[in-house]
C-alpha cells in the first residue's frame, strides 16, 4: 500500500489531534493533503517524534495525540518504544510507516528489510495494542479505532518505498513551531483552540 493513501484515509481523523511527524516523505505527503496548525513537522530530530508525542500526551491527557513516524526513525530510538510502554498514555497513537528503507536520504535499507518486526518489538517492549497492517482499508479501520480509543496503540503500516516527487514544503519551520504551540494552548474557557 502507499503511505499517501494511508494518510488520505485518516486525514479527517487528525483534525482535532496534536499531530507530530518526522521530516521527509511522511511530512511532505501530509503537508500535500493540506497543512493544519495542529501539525508539527519535527525537524533535525530523527527518532524523537514518539518522545515529543509522549510529552504532549502526558501534559494534555484530554487531547488525542498522533505520531506519524517512519521505520528508520523508530529504529534510531528503539528505547522510545519502551518509554511509551512505561507511561502508556491512552490518548496516544503511534503510526509507523514501514517502507523498509531510509527513503528520504537515498533509500538505504533498514533492519525491517531483513526481518526486524517493529510491531513485535513494540509488543515485547510492553505495548499490547501493536499491529502490522498491509491493506489500506484495514489500516484505516485500525487507525480510526486507535485514535478514538483510550489505549496506547502502535500501528505499523507496511508501505511501498515510494515518496513524493519533491521534498519541498512551502512552510517555514520556525513559524510551524510557533503555530503548533498556539494550537496546543488551552482556551481559557476550556475549549481547544
Amino acid at each position: 500500500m502507499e503511505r499517501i493513501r494511508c494518510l488520505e484515509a485518516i486525514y479527517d481523523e487528525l483534525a482535532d489531534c496534536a499531530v507530530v511527524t518526522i521530516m521527509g516523505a511522511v511530512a511532505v505527503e501530509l503537508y500535500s493533503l493540506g497543512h493544519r496548525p495542529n501539525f508539527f513537522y519535527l525537524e533535525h530530530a530523527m527518532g524523537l517524534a514518539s518522545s515529543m508525542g509522549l510529552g504532549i500526551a502526558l501534559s494534555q491527557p484530554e487531547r488525542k495525540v498522533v505520531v506519524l513516524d517512519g521505520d528508520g526513525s523508530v529504529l534510531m530510538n528503539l528505547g522510545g518504544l519502551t518509554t511509551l510502554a512505561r507511561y502508556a498514555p491512552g490518548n496516544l497513537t503511534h503510526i509507523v510507516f514501514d517502507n523498509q528503507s531510509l527513503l528520504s536520504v537515498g533509500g538505504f535499507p533498514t533492519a525491517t528489510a531483513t526481518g526486524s518486526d517493529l510491531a513485535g518489538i513494540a509488543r515485547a517492549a510492553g505495548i499490547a495494542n501493536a499491529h502490522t497492517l498491509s491493506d489500506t482499508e484495514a489500516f484505516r479501520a485500525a487507525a480510526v479505532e486507535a485514535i478514538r480509543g483510550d489505549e496506547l496503540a502502535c500501528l505499523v503500516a507496511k508501505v511501498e518505498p515510494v515518496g513524493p516527487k519533491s521534498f519541498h514544503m512551502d512552510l517555514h519551520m520556525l513559524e510551524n513551531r510557533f503555530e503548533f504551540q498556539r494550537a496546543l494552548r488551552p482556551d481559557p474557557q476550556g475549549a481547544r483552540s
Side-chain angles (χ1 to χ4, degrees), residues 107-124:
F108 307 103
T110 66
T112 63
T114 57
S116 293
D117 174 0
L118 293 177
I121 293 169
R123 281 190 301 276

mmCIF file of all heavy atoms in Angstrom, residues 107-124:
data_model
loop_
_atom_site.group_PDB
_atom_site.id
_atom_site.type_symbol
_atom_site.label_atom_id
_atom_site.label_comp_id
_atom_site.label_asym_id
_atom_site.label_seq_id
_atom_site.Cartn_x
_atom_site.Cartn_y
_atom_site.Cartn_z
ATOM 1 N N GLY A 107 17.334 5.939 0.130
ATOM 2 C CA GLY A 107 16.708 4.625 0.007
ATOM 3 C C GLY A 107 17.501 3.461 0.557
ATOM 4 O O GLY A 107 17.258 2.307 0.202
ATOM 5 N N PHE A 108 18.438 3.732 1.444
ATOM 6 C CA PHE A 108 19.206 2.648 2.050
ATOM 7 C C PHE A 108 18.268 1.743 2.846
ATOM 8 O O PHE A 108 17.365 2.226 3.537
ATOM 9 C CB PHE A 108 20.291 3.210 2.982
ATOM 10 C CG PHE A 108 21.166 4.221 2.317
ATOM 11 C CD1 PHE A 108 20.988 5.568 2.562
ATOM 12 C CD2 PHE A 108 22.149 3.828 1.424
ATOM 13 C CE1 PHE A 108 21.775 6.523 1.941
ATOM 14 C CE2 PHE A 108 22.943 4.775 0.796
ATOM 15 C CZ PHE A 108 22.760 6.124 1.053
ATOM 16 N N PRO A 109 18.460 0.426 2.798
ATOM 17 C CA PRO A 109 17.559 -0.474 3.531
ATOM 18 C C PRO A 109 17.707 -0.333 5.045
ATOM 19 O O PRO A 109 18.797 -0.083 5.550
ATOM 20 C CB PRO A 109 17.984 -1.873 3.070
ATOM 21 C CG PRO A 109 19.306 -1.723 2.418
ATOM 22 C CD PRO A 109 19.472 -0.284 2.028
ATOM 23 N N THR A 110 16.588 -0.487 5.740
ATOM 24 C CA THR A 110 16.614 -0.507 7.206
ATOM 25 C C THR A 110 16.569 -1.959 7.672
ATOM 26 O O THR A 110 16.443 -2.884 6.857
ATOM 27 C CB THR A 110 15.409 0.249 7.799
ATOM 28 O OG1 THR A 110 14.212 -0.462 7.466
ATOM 29 C CG2 THR A 110 15.338 1.682 7.301
ATOM 30 N N ALA A 111 16.621 -2.153 8.963
ATOM 31 C CA ALA A 111 16.597 -3.507 9.533
ATOM 32 C C ALA A 111 15.286 -4.236 9.250
ATOM 33 O O ALA A 111 15.249 -5.461 9.264
ATOM 34 C CB ALA A 111 16.852 -3.440 11.039
ATOM 35 N N THR A 112 14.215 -3.496 8.964
ATOM 36 C CA THR A 112 12.956 -4.180 8.654
ATOM 37 C C THR A 112 13.034 -4.878 7.305
ATOM 38 O O THR A 112 12.268 -5.803 7.044
ATOM 39 C CB THR A 112 11.752 -3.221 8.702
ATOM 40 O OG1 THR A 112 11.904 -2.221 7.697
ATOM 41 C CG2 THR A 112 11.612 -2.575 10.069
ATOM 42 N N ALA A 113 13.966 -4.471 6.446
ATOM 43 C CA ALA A 113 14.155 -5.132 5.153
ATOM 44 C C ALA A 113 14.757 -6.520 5.319
ATOM 45 O O ALA A 113 14.651 -7.359 4.420
ATOM 46 C CB ALA A 113 15.043 -4.277 4.245
ATOM 47 N N THR A 114 15.358 -6.764 6.475
ATOM 48 C CA THR A 114 15.971 -8.073 6.721
ATOM 49 C C THR A 114 15.275 -8.838 7.840
ATOM 50 O O THR A 114 15.855 -9.746 8.430
ATOM 51 C CB THR A 114 17.470 -7.919 7.043
ATOM 52 O OG1 THR A 114 17.620 -7.046 8.165
ATOM 53 C CG2 THR A 114 18.232 -7.377 5.850
ATOM 54 N N GLY A 115 14.046 -8.440 8.157
ATOM 55 C CA GLY A 115 13.243 -9.246 9.070
ATOM 56 C C GLY A 115 12.876 -8.654 10.403
ATOM 57 O O GLY A 115 12.087 -9.245 11.131
ATOM 58 N N SER A 116 13.411 -7.507 10.791
ATOM 59 C CA SER A 116 13.004 -6.921 12.079
ATOM 60 C C SER A 116 11.530 -6.551 12.021
ATOM 61 O O SER A 116 11.063 -5.958 11.050
ATOM 62 C CB SER A 116 13.842 -5.679 12.405
ATOM 63 O OG SER A 116 15.175 -6.039 12.645
ATOM 64 N N ASP A 117 10.802 -6.897 13.050
ATOM 65 C CA ASP A 117 9.347 -6.720 13.124
ATOM 66 C C ASP A 117 9.048 -5.634 14.156
ATOM 67 O O ASP A 117 9.110 -5.880 15.360
ATOM 68 C CB ASP A 117 8.721 -8.054 13.524
ATOM 69 C CG ASP A 117 7.233 -7.999 13.775
ATOM 70 O OD1 ASP A 117 6.617 -6.915 13.648
ATOM 71 O OD2 ASP A 117 6.669 -9.058 14.116
ATOM 72 N N LEU A 118 8.728 -4.429 13.682
ATOM 73 C CA LEU A 118 8.527 -3.315 14.609
ATOM 74 C C LEU A 118 7.319 -3.498 15.517
ATOM 75 O O LEU A 118 7.374 -3.133 16.686
ATOM 76 C CB LEU A 118 8.434 -1.995 13.839
ATOM 77 C CG LEU A 118 9.723 -1.553 13.152
ATOM 78 C CD1 LEU A 118 9.502 -0.274 12.361
ATOM 79 C CD2 LEU A 118 10.840 -1.373 14.174
ATOM 80 N N ALA A 119 6.238 -4.072 15.017
ATOM 81 C CA ALA A 119 5.083 -4.324 15.892
ATOM 82 C C ALA A 119 5.448 -5.372 16.932
ATOM 83 O O ALA A 119 5.057 -5.257 18.101
ATOM 84 C CB ALA A 119 3.870 -4.763 15.078
ATOM 85 N N GLY A 120 6.211 -6.367 16.549
ATOM 86 C CA GLY A 120 6.673 -7.381 17.506
ATOM 87 C C GLY A 120 7.582 -6.778 18.561
ATOM 88 O O GLY A 120 7.486 -7.102 19.746
ATOM 89 N N ILE A 121 8.463 -5.872 18.136
ATOM 90 C CA ILE A 121 9.344 -5.190 19.080
ATOM 91 C C ILE A 121 8.518 -4.326 20.032
ATOM 92 O O ILE A 121 8.769 -4.296 21.238
ATOM 93 C CB ILE A 121 10.405 -4.354 18.332
ATOM 94 C CG1 ILE A 121 11.358 -5.276 17.572
ATOM 95 C CG2 ILE A 121 11.168 -3.448 19.283
ATOM 96 C CD1 ILE A 121 12.275 -4.562 16.590
ATOM 97 N N ALA A 122 7.515 -3.632 19.493
ATOM 98 C CA ALA A 122 6.655 -2.791 20.336
ATOM 99 C C ALA A 122 5.911 -3.645 21.367
ATOM 100 O O ALA A 122 5.824 -3.270 22.541
ATOM 101 C CB ALA A 122 5.668 -2.012 19.477
ATOM 102 N N ARG A 123 5.393 -4.796 20.944
ATOM 103 C CA ARG A 123 4.702 -5.686 21.900
ATOM 104 C C ARG A 123 5.680 -6.183 22.962
ATOM 105 O O ARG A 123 5.348 -6.217 24.144
ATOM 106 C CB ARG A 123 4.051 -6.859 21.170
ATOM 107 C CG ARG A 123 2.732 -6.518 20.506
ATOM 108 C CD ARG A 123 1.988 -7.752 20.006
ATOM 109 N NE ARG A 123 2.748 -8.515 19.039
ATOM 110 C CZ ARG A 123 2.807 -8.250 17.738
ATOM 111 N NH1 ARG A 123 2.151 -7.212 17.239
ATOM 112 N NH2 ARG A 123 3.529 -9.006 16.924
ATOM 113 N N ALA A 124 6.881 -6.564 22.546
ATOM 114 C CA ALA A 124 7.883 -7.041 23.504
ATOM 115 C C ALA A 124 8.292 -5.928 24.466
ATOM 116 O O ALA A 124 8.653 -6.199 25.613
ATOM 117 C CB ALA A 124 9.103 -7.582 22.766
#
